[in-house]
C-alpha cells in the first residue's frame, strides 16, 4: 500500500492534501499561542511514552518540497518504495537486540490479549533526513493485524498523521518527539498514517533529553547526525 496505483487520484484525497499542508507547517510560538492551537491528545504517560499533541497548521508556510522521499529500512524487509514492502527472510539480517525486544514486549502489553506475549519478529528502522517524508500507507505485510506495532521515535521531532481506513478521511496530526512510543493497535492498525516532515531547526528539534545522554568523547558524530535526523524503529510480530 506504499505506492498509489493512480497518482492523480491520490492527489485528490484528504490524506494527500494534509501531507502537503503539514509538509509546510510552521509551529506557532508556544508563548502567546492560543490554547486550542495546541490541543492535548489523550496519550498515557509511561516511562518511554511522553505526551503527543494534536496540531493545527498555522498560516505561515516557508517553501517546502512536496516531493516524497523514502527513509531506509532494515532487512529482513525488502522495500520498493513505489510499490509494497515485503518481508524476505533470505536477505541478510541481524537478531533484534535483546534490550529492544524486551522493551517492545513491555510496551505491547496494553494491546495484547491477557496472557498472550508479543513476539518481536521484525524491526524496521526508518532514517529521516531533513527533507524526507513517509507517505500515507497502511502496514499490511503482517499475517495477524490483531498484533500491535510498537513504534519508537528518536531524534528530531516530527509530525505524524493518523488517518482513516481510506485516504479520504482527514487525518489527525500529532507531534512525535524523541522518546515517544506509538502503539499501532486495534483500529489504528488498519488506518492510513505517515510522516510528512521532521523539524531540524534548533529551537524545534526537541532533542535535549537525547543530547544529555550523548556526552561521551565518541558521541560527537552521533550528536551531529541526530541534530538533523529522525530515527524511527518499529517492531512487529510478523507471523
Ligand atoms: O516513522 C514513523 O513514525 C512511522 C513509520 C511507519 O509507519 C512505518 O515504517 O511503517
Ligand atoms: Fe507504518
Amino acid at each position: 500500500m506504499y505506492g498509489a496505483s493512480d497518482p492523480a487520484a491520490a492527489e485528490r484525497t484528504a490524506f494527500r492534501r494534509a501531507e502537503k499542508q503539514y509538509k509546510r507547517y510552521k509551529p506557532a510560538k508556544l508563548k502567546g499561542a492560543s490554547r486550542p492551537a495546541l490541543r492535548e491528545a489523550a496519550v498515557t504517560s509511561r516511562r518511554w511514552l511522553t505526551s503527543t499533541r494534536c496540531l493545527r497548521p498555522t498560516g505561515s508556510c516557508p517553501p517546502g518540497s512536496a516531493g516524497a522521499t523514502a527513509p531506509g529500512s532494515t532487512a529482513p524487509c525488502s522495500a520498493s518504495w513505489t510499490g509494497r514492502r515485503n518481508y524476505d527472510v533470505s536477505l541478510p539480517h541481524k537478531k533484534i537486540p535483546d534490550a529492544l525486544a524486551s522493551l517492545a514486549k513491555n510496551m505491547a502489553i496494553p494491546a495484547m490479549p491477557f496472557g498472550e506475549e508479543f513476539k518481536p519478529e521484525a524491526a524496521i528502522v526508518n532514517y529521516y533526513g531533513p527533507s524526507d517524508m513517509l507517505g500515507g500507507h497502511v502496514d499490511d505485510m503482517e499475517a495477524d493485524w490483531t498484533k500491535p506495532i510498537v513504534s519508537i521515535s528518536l531524534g528530531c521531532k516530527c509530525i505524524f498523521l493518523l488517518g482513516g481506513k481510506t485516504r479520504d478521511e482527514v487525518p489527525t496530526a500529532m507531534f512525535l518527539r524523541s522518546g515517544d512510543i506509538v502503539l499501532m493497535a486495534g483500529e489504528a492498525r488498519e488506518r492510513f498514517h505517515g510522516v510528512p516532515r521532521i523539524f531540524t531547526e534548533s529551537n524545534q528539534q526537541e532533542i535535549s533529553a537525547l543530547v544529555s545522554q550523548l556526552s561521551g568523547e565518541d558521541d560527537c558524530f552521533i550528536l551531529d547526525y541526530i541534530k538533523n535526523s529522525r530515527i524511527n524503529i518499529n517492531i512487529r510480530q510478523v507471523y
Side-chain angles (χ1 to χ4, degrees), residues 92-237:
H93 58 277
K94 292 186 176 158
K95 185 174 171 287
I96 299 174
D98 289 343
L100 191 58
S102 113
L103 173 67
K105 276 186 195 169
N106 281 333
M107 291 297 111
I109 290 171
M112 294 294 290
F114 185 73
E116 241 188 90
E117 195 174 65
F118 177 71
K119 297 192 190 90
E121 289 168 332
I124 293 177
V125 183
N126 294 309
Y127 300 94
Y128 297 80
S131 58
D132 286 340
M133 66 176 282
L134 179 60
H137 65 277
V138 175
D139 293 295
D140 57 359
M141 303 183 295
E142 297 74 28
D144 181 358
W145 292 13
T146 67
K147 301 297 182 304
I149 294 177
V150 181
S151 186
I152 304 171
S153 291
L154 292 170
C156 293
K157 181 175 80 179
C158 77
I159 294 175
F160 180 77
L161 295 178
L162 181 61
K165 292 184 185 176
T166 72
R167 288 179 190 268
D168 293 327
E169 261 180 68
V170 179
T172 299
M174 291 163 249
F175 284 134
L176 294 184
R177 299 179 173 82
S178 196
D180 285 349
I181 293 185
V182 171
L183 253 192
M184 298 286 291
E187 288 267 302
R189 197 65 185 71
E190 297 167 47
R191 292 179 182 269
F192 278 87
H193 57 279
V195 177
R197 66 162 294 179
I198 72 166
F199 295 89
T200 53
E201 304 81 8
S202 56
N203 58 341
Q204 295 295 341
Q205 314 153 313
E206 304 193 27
I207 56 171
S208 52
L210 191 59
V211 169
S212 66
Q213 290 174 39
L214 293 170
S215 52
E217 241 177 66
D218 301 329
D219 291 338
C220 57
F221 296 110
I222 304 174
L223 207 52
D224 262 7
Y225 175 77
I226 211 66
K227 281 180 180 164
N228 287 300
S229 318
R230 171 174 184 263
I231 300 175
N232 165 261
I233 307 174
N234 59 80
I235 300 138
R236 302 156 183 240
Q237 179 163 339

